[in-house]
Amino acid sequence: MYIYETGIPLIDREYGGMHAATNILLLAPPLSHAEHLAYRIASPRPGEWTVALSTDERAADVVNAFRKLGADRNRVGIIDAVTKGSVPTVRDTPKVKFVTSPLDLTSMGIKFSRMVEDMWKEGAMVDPEGPMPPPVRFCLNSVSTILMYAQLEVTFRFLHVITNRVKKLEGVGIYTLNSESFDRRSVSILKQLMSMVIEVRRDEGRVPADHDFRVIGIHGRTTPWIRYFYNDGMVTIEE
């Protein structure tokens, strides 16, 4: 089974990274820069591909975030649910697809499938000796925005489809959710779709506030709290 490195030293060193067919809910408070933690985990390593579905940021901002992480631009595909609302004439490119809004879940699903198919075809040509199926990472930032537009039941059905596709692709998916904007029942229902949870907490006793996270459910275990810092578009994780 393919193993995905996470860029989190403790996880990669002591837990052996993430197994294929894993879906992760990143549960974080506002202003914790959780999207950059998600991008770090979702950034493709050599021979891998990444699809990022953005309901919060324009494609250019997502591309820039992955560029700072050293990702190969040709290995990252973006589905942008933000830009078309203000620029209706924007057109799809091979690596950037646009949907009309965060409520256009059907188009998101279709473009996700098409993008993965294109990546698989390209992967088979450029790296025919590589693992099959080609390793794919998926990042959704954020589930919170979808829940603002769609009911919980609709969001659950959409995520059920996407998480199952990630499993069938033998990929890794990470999905950000604001931990302070939704009731416990909603969060609990969405957790049912996930293999594990990354839980972020904020230490308000420090200025600026520090942030820690832990991984719940990795190989049946919970990690210790891990400190991380954000600066100039980059997340640094304490060893």
Side-chain angles (χ1 to χ4, degrees), residues 197-237:
V197 175
I198 295 179
E199 182 181 87
V200 174
R201 69 179 182 183
R202 180 173 49 218
D203 183 357
E204 298 288 4
R206 296 175 180 265
V207 180
D210 283 341
H211 296 90
D212 306 271
F213 68 91
R214 63 180 178 178
V215 185
I216 303 170
I218 180 167
H219 310 322
R221 300 161 64 188
T222 297
T223 70
W225 289 100
I226 304 166
R227 182 69 50 89
Y228 72 94
F229 309 92
Y230 173 82
N231 183 50
D232 191 28
M234 290 282 290
V235 162
T236 302
I237 298 173

Side-chain angles (χ1 to χ4, degrees), residues 26-214:
L26 178 49
L27 198 56
L31 305 178
S32 59
H33 308 292
E35 69 276 17
H36 291 281
L37 182 57
Y39 294 152
R40 181 177 178 129
I41 295 170
S43 185
R45 278 53 173 180
E48 298 179 355
W49 305 79
T50 291
V51 177
L53 168 54
S54 177
T55 62
D56 281 7
E57 297 183 306
R58 295 175 183 270
D61 296 322
V62 181
V63 167
N64 188 51
F66 281 108
R67 179 187 60 79
K68 287 186 175 183
L69 290 164
D72 181 344
R73 176 65 188 90
N74 293 321
R75 297 264 178 168
V76 178
I78 313 294
I79 302 169
D80 177 338
V82 178
T83 301
K84 205 172 182 74
S86 56
V87 188
T89 56
V90 68
R91 294 181 179 274
D92 288 354
T93 70
K95 290 295 190 295
V96 181
K97 310 297 183 186
F98 299 91
V99 299
T100 54
S101 78
L103 192 55
D104 193 359
L105 303 180
T106 300
S107 293
M108 290 178 192
I110 291 171
K111 296 198 174 188
F112 170 67
S113 296
R114 289 178 179 171
M115 186 168 279
V116 169
E117 287 176 8
D118 290 343
M119 288 176 170
W120 278 19
K121 291 175 183 176
E122 189 173 345
M125 290 188 292
V126 301
D127 191 15
E129 302 301 321
M132 291 298 293
V136 175
R137 299 178 190 241
F138 175 69
C139 177
L140 197 170
N141 181 51
S142 74
V143 176
S144 305
T145 304
I146 295 176
L147 276 172
M148 290 172 61
Y149 286 86
Q151 294 181 341
L152 175 61
E153 293 77 8
V154 174
T155 303
F156 180 89
R157 288 198 297 270
F158 171 69
L159 289 179
H160 186 264
V161 170
I162 294 295
T163 53
N164 275 333
R165 287 182 186 173
V166 169
K167 289 178 183 177
K168 290 178 181 178
L169 293 169
E170 297 184 15
V172 161
I174 184 160
Y175 312 78
T176 65
L177 178 65
N178 187 324
S179 59
E180 297 182 0
S181 296
F182 306 98
D183 58 56
R184 290 184 180 180
R185 174 180 173 271
S186 299
V187 174
S188 179
I189 287 173
L190 296 179
K191 281 182 178 179
Q192 296 174 27
L193 298 170
M194 304 295 163
S195 313
M196 63 188 70
V197 175
I198 295 179
E199 182 181 87
V200 174
R201 69 179 182 183
R202 180 173 49 218
D203 183 357
E204 298 288 4
R206 296 175 180 265
V207 180
D210 283 341
H211 296 90
D212 306 271
F213 68 91
R214 63 180 178 178

